[in-house]
């Protein structure tokens, strides 16, 4: 009977090296096949381009993303916009709310690649970058001191900003309903509503907005 010791040129070391080399060639071939377009067509059904351009706070930003990556992760960890908070990370608390084409959306449950060609606004993009003037909602929060720990504040601010674009003169009940998708762990809802109603007043031109220092 022939063994590895009796077959010329055969050894366990050479056998393992051959298997590893064959696997590397197969893997490289598969990668090349997946990543090469065929006659200008996408590389595969459901494939997602990795390097994309996002319009965030009025600026085009190139970013490398994964197909399953959420907008919240991209904003915080790829673009450094940490004003967008991750709370529940399951579309329930609203801390991650941003505006997509001026509509409030939970960024933790929005895939980044679906926002290409859309206008994304985070809390960092609300104040006037040239003058430092706060937005109406931001100023309302400052004036009414509407939050305790303020972890949830960016989500409330973005939700209210989006809502006031459609209804700048809401009743308190309407504002409460508009913010019902956002949760405050400090349960400071009355003060939050006071701040957002003040923001509605500022939106209508009720008071000049101040410049921060």
């Amino acid at each position: 009977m022939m063994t590895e010791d009796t077959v010329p040129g055969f050894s366990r070391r050479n056998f393992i090296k051959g298997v590893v080399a064959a696997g590397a060639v197969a893997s490289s071939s598969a990668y090349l096949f997946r990543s090469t377009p065929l006659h200008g067509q996408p590389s595969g059904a459901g494939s997602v381009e990795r390097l994309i351009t996002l319009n965030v706070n009025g600026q085009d930003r190139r970013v490398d993303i994964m197909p399953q990556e959420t907008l919240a992760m991209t904003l915080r960890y790829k673009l450094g916009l940490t004003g967008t908070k991750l709370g529940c990370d399951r579309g329930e608390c609203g801390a991650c709310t941003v505006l997509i084409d001026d509509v409030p959306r939970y960024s933790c449950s929005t895939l980044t690649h679906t926002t290409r060609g859309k206008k994304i606004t985070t809390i960092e993009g609300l104040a006037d970058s040239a003058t430092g003037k706060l937005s109406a909602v931001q100023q309302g929060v400052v004036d009414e001191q509407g939050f305790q720990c303020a972890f949830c504040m960016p989500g409330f601010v973005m939700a209210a900003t989006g809502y006031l674009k459609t209804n700048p003169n809401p009743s308190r009940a309407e504002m409460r309903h508009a913010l019902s998708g956002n949760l405050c762990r400090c349960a400071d809802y009355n003060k939050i509503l006071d701040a957002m109603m003040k923001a509605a007043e500022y939106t209508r031109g009720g008071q000049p907005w101040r410049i921060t220092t």
Side-chain angles (χ1 to χ4, degrees):
M1 185 173 82
M2 301 181 69
T3 68
E4 63 181 58
D5 297 324
T6 60
V7 177
F10 181 91
S11 71
R12 186 180 302 276
R13 180 187 299 272
N14 289 337
F15 175 74
I16 294 174
K17 288 171 64 177
V19 171
V20 171
V25 171
S27 298
S28 300
S29 299
Y31 176 81
L32 180 62
F33 178 77
R34 291 195 304 268
S35 60
T36 303
L38 180 63
H39 302 301
Q41 298 299 317
S43 58
S47 63
V48 175
E49 183 183 354
R50 288 283 302 270
L51 188 61
I52 68 174
T53 299
L54 300 177
N55 185 277
V56 183
N57 297 330
Q59 296 183 343
D60 287 339
R61 307 285 299 271
R62 293 285 282 175
V63 61
D64 184 12
I65 65 166
M66 298 296 290
Q68 73 279 13
E69 189 171 312
T70 65
L71 183 58
M73 299 296 289
T74 303
L75 292 173
R76 287 183 57 83
Y77 301 113
K78 299 289 182 65
L79 299 181
L81 298 172
T82 55
T84 300
K85 303 303 183 185
L86 276 174
C88 66
D89 203 20
R90 55 192 297 175
E92 293 181 354
C93 74
C96 66
T97 301
V98 299
L99 301 185
I100 300 177
D101 287 342
D102 290 333
V103 178
R105 292 284 183 264
Y106 292 154
S107 61
C108 77
S109 55
T110 300
L111 294 179
T112 303
H113 69 83
T114 67
T115 63
R116 285 182 294 182
K118 300 180 180 181
K119 182 179 69 173
I120 303 166
T121 306
T122 71
I123 194 167
E124 290 91 344
L126 294 185
D128 189 309
S129 59
T131 65
K133 181 188 294 183
L134 298 179
S135 73
V137 180
Q138 290 174 311
Q139 193 63 62
V141 169
V142 171
D143 290 348
E144 295 296 325
Q145 301 181 12
F147 294 85
Q148 282 192 48
C149 78
F151 181 86
C152 63
M153 181 188 68
F156 275 96
V157 168
M158 299 310 296
T161 299
Y163 177 65
L164 289 173
K165 290 178 181 292
T166 64
N167 182 12
N169 190 24
S171 66
R172 193 176 180 88
E174 288 172 331
M175 180 61 78
R176 183 186 298 112
H177 179 74
L179 300 177
S180 61
N182 293 71
L183 301 179
C184 172
R185 292 184 178 182
C186 302
D188 215 10
Y189 292 111
N190 280 328
K191 291 181 66 176
I192 292 172
L193 278 171
D194 289 342
M196 299 314 170
M197 293 306 293
K198 180 64 71 174
E201 178 185 335
Y202 293 166
T203 299
R204 298 190 301 271
Q207 178 177 324
W209 307 342
R210 292 193 293 275
I211 297 177
T212 59
T213 57

